[in-house]
Amino acid sequence: MDFDITQPASTVTNPIYPRQQQPVSSIPSNLSQFSITNGEQVPFEEPHEWCVISYYEMSTRVGEQFHATQPQVIIDGLTDPSNAERFCLGGLTNVHRTFEIDKARRHIGRGVKLFHIRGNVFAECISDNPVFVQSPITNQRLSWHPATVCKIPPSNILSVFIKKPISINSLFE
């Protein structure tokens, strides 16, 4: 048996509610002025934070997400939860933490500084130990596999998100 799976010529799928069909004559000619909220235009509001950070131990998220609102944020292994520029991992507890995870956490130290300049995000290792970053955007820019993990040695910077290709020197002009 053959079935013809085409829409009848007199109806089209509703772009706002795809499961509903409407006669062609009832669809407005200018769909761009409509939004999901029943035709009301909704103004875009820039989010208050420029990044949201989640900390994981293995596949378990530990603690609350950190919402970065300052131009830079330091992620470290210390404890100072009152500082808006720091996401301190030292005070986070996990009842399922293993000895291996605890041993790795001791190497975080002063950690990594994330900062943004003109929409470009950078990671700077400020720890005595290297940090490891997985940035699919950086990997794509460098033609690496998307899951590649980059090692950032102490006192080095990696661009983790570039809004558009720029010269590093132009950032500090």
Side-chain angles (χ1 to χ4, degrees):
M1 255 186 192
D2 290 331
F3 292 97
D4 187 14
I5 314 290
T6 59
Q7 275 185 310
S10 62
T11 63
V12 294
T13 303
N14 180 337
I16 298 174
Y17 301 100
R19 292 186 179 180
Q20 296 177 354
Q21 292 184 345
Q22 297 177 341
V24 173
S25 61
S26 69
I27 296 177
S29 60
N30 184 2
L31 288 177
S32 64
Q33 68 184 355
F34 290 90
S35 68
I36 301 297
T37 59
N38 299 328
E40 297 176 31
Q41 289 190 356
V42 180
F44 174 76
E45 292 183 26
E46 193 70 39
H48 184 62
E49 66 271 345
W50 62 274
C51 84
V52 177
I53 303 167
S54 300
Y55 170 66
Y56 285 82
E57 292 178 354
M58 306 307 273
S59 60
T60 304
R61 190 171 93 192
V62 178
E64 297 294 320
Q65 290 182 318
F66 181 86
H67 298 263
T69 57
Q70 304 299 314
Q72 70 177 21
V73 61
I74 295 173
I75 305 164
D76 62 33
L78 308 174
T79 54
D80 185 8
S82 64
N83 191 330
E85 286 189 354
R86 287 179 58 196
F87 181 32
C88 300
L89 306 177
L92 299 179
T93 59
N94 179 3
V95 295
H96 303 291
R97 184 171 291 147
T98 64
F99 173 76
E100 290 79 14
I101 292 171
D102 193 48
K103 187 176 171 184
R105 283 172 49 92
R106 290 185 207 137
H107 293 282
I108 296 172
R110 293 185 315 235
V112 63
K113 176 171 55 174
L114 299 178
F115 58 98
H116 69 97
I117 302 172
R118 297 185 197 154
N120 304 292
V121 179
F122 302 89
E124 178 182 4
C125 178
I126 56 176
S127 179
D128 294 333
N129 300 299
V131 295
F132 298 85
V133 176
Q134 184 181 34
S135 171
I137 293 171
T138 297
N139 293 340
Q140 180 184 25
R141 185 171 44 87
L142 297 174
S143 300
W144 294 345
H145 187 277
T148 301
V149 175
C150 300
K151 176 181 177 180
I152 307 175
S155 303
N156 281 271
I157 298 173
L158 174 71
S159 60
V160 292
F161 179 80
I162 298 293
K163 189 173 182 179
K164 61 181 181 177
I166 55 169
S167 161
I168 294 295
N169 293 334
S170 72
L171 291 174
F172 301 102
E173 292 176 346

